[in-house]
């Protein structure tokens, strides 16, 4: 449904962005931020699904500067390269800037939303704390949300999704985040593991994925989408 285009980012770099046009009545724009594995077929499928729900979607290939066209599997050497890109080679703040450029490209057409998965979940939460142009955010299992960005209060209505059995995001941190009771944020915990939304992963948990998506769409629609 969608196609890769190229967009110029705030640092002057031209990177690939997956663009999916809204089907039927346009409900708004959506920036969808990838996992560490790139704009994979799974991410593109998610973009197409949101487009089918009426959202014009942009998903930037944020590692294009360091590894053009990077798409990885969830295991083996690909996984190690993904970790290297996310944790060592690519500045996290640049991912925020890329998301902001995509938001800016959509904001004159109607409300703009953001969602992200794993690495992208952290980006979505962080961007919700700095952008004045978002209507709502939905953040999936971002490890930096209950740690580095726990005190950042989102400027828009925001939900965050975590798996109770996610070894990489201890429940103590998530519970502490819940206790902060940020007025714009609601935190949901699912009986699932990390990556429960991806049907390409062994930890895919369909009931949790369906419920999180239902909550995401309900939020977007309640906020003008």
């Amino acid at each position: 449904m969608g196609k890769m285009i190229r967009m110029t980012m705030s640092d002057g770099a031209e990177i690939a962005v997956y663009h999916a046009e809204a089907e039927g009545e346009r409900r708004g724009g959506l920036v969808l931020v990838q996992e560490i594995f790139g704009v994979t077929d799974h991410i593109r499928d998610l973009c197409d699904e949101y487009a089918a729900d009426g959202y014009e979607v942009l998903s930037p290939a944020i590692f294009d500067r360091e590894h053009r066209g990077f798409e990885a599997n969830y295991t083996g050497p690909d996984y190690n390269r993904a970790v290297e890109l996310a944790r060592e080679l690519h500045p996290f703040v640049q991912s925020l800037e890329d998301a902001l450029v995509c938001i800016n490209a959509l904001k004159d057409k109607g409300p703009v939303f953001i969602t992200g998965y794993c690495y992208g979940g952290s980006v979505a939460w962080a961007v919700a704390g700095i952008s004045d142009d978002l209507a709502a955010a939905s953040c999936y299992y971002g490890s930096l949300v209950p740690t580095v960005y726990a005190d950042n209060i989102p400027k828009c209505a925001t939900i965050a999704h975590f798996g109770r059995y996610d070894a990489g995001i201890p429940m103590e941190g998530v519970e502490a985040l819940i206790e902060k009771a940020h007025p714009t944020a609601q935190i949901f915990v699912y009986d699932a593991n990390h990556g429960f939304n991806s049907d390409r992963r062994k930890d895919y948990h369909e009931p949790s994925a369906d419920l999180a998506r239902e909550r995401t769409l309900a939020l977007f629609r309640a906020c003008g989408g």
Side-chain angles (χ1 to χ4, degrees):
M1 185 186 303
K3 64 180 181 180
M4 282 293 190
I5 61 173
R6 300 199 71 79
M7 290 177 59
T8 301
M9 297 293 116
S10 59
D11 64 344
E14 188 181 76
I15 69 171
V17 178
Y18 189 74
H19 179 218
E21 291 279 9
E23 288 188 31
E25 182 181 355
R26 188 184 187 279
R27 291 182 173 272
L30 175 65
V31 178
L32 191 151
V33 190
Q34 63 175 66
E35 304 164 313
I36 64 173
F37 307 103
V39 182
T40 59
D41 58 351
H42 169 57
I43 295 298
R44 296 192 297 271
D45 283 352
L46 289 174
C47 292
D48 291 344
E49 289 170 9
Y50 280 111
D53 286 316
Y55 298 92
E56 180 185 356
V57 188
L58 294 176
S59 183
I62 53 181
F63 297 151
D64 249 16
R65 298 167 182 82
E66 298 84 12
H67 190 141
R68 187 166 178 170
F70 179 70
E71 293 185 38
N73 295 315
Y74 291 125
T75 58
D78 277 0
Y79 174 81
N80 295 333
R81 177 60 171 168
V83 171
E84 180 185 37
L85 286 165
R87 297 183 182 175
E88 298 177 23
L89 302 180
H90 182 80
F92 186 78
V93 68
Q94 187 61 62
S95 299
L96 308 189
E97 292 292 333
D98 290 353
L100 290 170
V101 168
C102 291
I103 291 167
N104 191 59
L106 294 166
K107 69 180 184 180
D108 290 338
K109 303 178 185 180
V112 184
F113 308 90
I114 191 169
T115 189
Y117 304 83
C118 186
Y119 180 96
S122 295
V123 173
W125 179 278
V127 170
I130 59 176
S131 176
D132 293 316
D133 297 314
L134 285 173
S138 180
C139 317
Y140 284 75
Y141 33 80
S143 64
L144 300 184
V145 176
T147 56
V148 176
Y149 291 98
D151 291 324
N152 286 41
I153 301 174
K155 292 186 173 185
C156 62
T158 298
I159 56 177
H161 316 275
F162 296 98
R164 189 179 307 279
Y165 311 115
D166 188 339
I169 307 178
M171 268 295 99
E172 292 86 349
V174 175
E175 290 166 356
L177 178 65
I178 293 171
E179 289 175 4
K180 290 181 183 295
H182 292 319
T184 52
Q186 188 171 9
I187 312 302
F188 295 105
V189 177
Y190 302 80
D191 289 327
N193 210 321
H194 187 78
F196 67 76
N197 184 72
S198 174
D199 59 4
R200 273 73 161 180
R201 300 178 70 122
K202 63 179 178 61
D203 291 316
Y204 174 58
H205 191 249
E206 186 174 5
S208 297
D210 289 347
L211 180 55
R213 179 175 175 78
E214 179 183 316
R215 286 168 167 163
T216 297
L217 290 174
L219 174 70
F220 291 174
R221 287 169 185 169
C223 294

